[in-house]
Amino acid sequence: MLLIKNADVYAPEHMGKKDILICGEHIEVIADRIESLPGPCKVLEAEGLCLTPGLMDQHVHVTGGGGEGSFHTRTPEVELSELIRGGVTTVLGLLGTDGMTRSVENLYAKTAALQEEGVTAYMLTGAYGNPGPTITGEADRDMVFIREVLGLKLAISDHRAPHVTTRELIQLASKVRVAGMLSGKPGMLVLHMGDDPACLDPVFEALRDSQVPVPIFRPTHVNRNPALLEAGWKFLEMGAMWISPVG
């Protein structure tokens, strides 16, 4: 058992200064003061500290990013301590521009390692290109048969993107949608957004020409320029969401 005393608690609403009793992996009691205990207990004094639920980061290059300035610009893998320092206890890993020297197999291994170290970790299959790299040979099979895979990564409206057509975008979104239904996962097509003037037009066209649910499309880096941000606000009004708007 662990007793945390005098923490300023957010759960996520602000509860003020509280004592928290944790047994195993479960919070059993939150009270103004916890005095008597049924047995031996480790006590952590948290006076002056905040206690909050762990944060979720849905866009982390856990195997490292970079590399666009040649091999010496590659960045290292994320360390558990970096996540914990930022309060992140759930992470979604994905590949970036480099889907050649970095693999989804390596991404899976890093995701599994983070889970073994104590955080909740998931991943996306694919990268910028189409077809992107997968483990089983198909993105939807990755989602259905690999527990950690929640969706597919793709780049659009970017000079590094594969420039898929509206029809191809719909087909990819549909595959992700069905795979999510079959596996009991949210199913997401995460779209790295670039600076192309088209902005989110490919997504709007795909939604106009299909019945794919809006939340399947999850763009990133939406605040990278004013035109894209304006399109992003319109997208939110349709019931959508962004991932990692900072970029």
Side-chain angles (χ1 to χ4, degrees), residues 8 37 41 70 72 103 148-149 158 160 170 174 184 189 196 212 227 235 240:
D8 191 15
L37 297 171
C41 183
S70 193
H72 72 281
S103 69
E148 292 80 6
V149 179
D158 190 286
R160 298 158 293 182
I170 292 172
S174 296
L189 181 57
D196 190 280
V212 175
F235 194 44

Side-chain angles (χ1 to χ4, degrees), residues 8-242:
D8 191 15
V9 176
Y10 292 79
E13 70 282 356
H14 187 216
M15 300 181 66
K17 186 177 290 187
K18 300 288 182 181
D19 289 355
I20 301 96
L21 179 63
I22 301 172
C23 296
E25 296 183 352
H26 300 281
I27 296 174
E28 298 294 343
V29 181
I30 300 178
D32 291 338
R33 294 187 66 83
I34 300 175
E35 300 291 354
S36 58
L37 297 171
C41 183
K42 179 180 179 181
V43 178
L44 176 64
E45 176 56 56
E47 180 71 40
L49 300 177
C50 292
L51 180 64
T52 73
L55 302 177
M56 301 174 63
D57 193 330
Q58 298 185 62
H59 191 286
V60 181
H61 298 297
V62 295
T63 56
E68 292 188 8
S70 193
F71 299 116
H72 72 281
T73 64
R74 288 159 52 96
T75 61
E77 292 187 354
V78 71
E79 296 292 337
L80 175 67
S81 58
E82 296 177 89
L83 298 175
I84 299 301
R85 192 179 304 120
V88 174
T89 57
T90 299
V91 63
L92 180 64
L94 69 170
L95 295 178
T97 312
D98 184 2
M100 287 181 279
T101 71
R102 302 183 192 276
S103 69
V104 285
E105 290 87 355
N106 180 234
L107 177 58
Y108 173 81
K110 181 63 177 181
T111 300
L114 288 171
Q115 290 177 334
E116 291 177 1
E117 289 180 303
V119 298
T120 302
Y122 298 99
M123 61 175 280
L124 299 175
T125 193
Y128 273 33
N130 180 51
T134 65
I135 295 174
T136 66
E138 295 288 344
D140 51 353
R141 291 182 67 84
D142 280 7
M143 287 183 59
V144 171
F145 293 112
I146 302 174
R147 188 188 70 85
E148 292 80 6
V149 179
L150 301 186
L152 172 65
K153 168 75 176 286
L154 178 72
I156 65 170
S157 297
D158 190 286
H159 65 95
R160 298 158 293 182
H163 305 290
V164 297
T165 65
T166 300
R167 182 178 179 82
E168 289 171 330
L169 188 59
I170 292 172
Q171 290 173 339
L172 289 171
S174 296
K175 290 181 70 172
V176 166
R177 166 67 169 164
V178 173
M181 294 170 64
L182 293 176
S183 59
K185 298 173 182 175
M188 58 182 79
L189 181 57
V190 175
L191 301 169
H192 169 90
M193 302 303 303
D195 288 312
D196 190 280
C199 297
L200 282 167
D201 287 350
V203 176
F204 294 140
E205 291 171 7
L207 291 170
R208 181 197 64 203
D209 296 344
S210 75
Q211 294 185 328
V212 175
V214 173
I216 295 297
F217 298 99
R218 303 201 185 185
T220 75
H221 306 91
V222 175
N223 71 339
R224 68 186 312 146
N225 66 59
L228 181 56
L229 182 59
E230 183 177 352
W233 291 125
K234 177 182 175 182
F235 194 44
L236 289 181
E237 291 172 355
M238 297 171 65
M241 64 183 69
W242 302 340

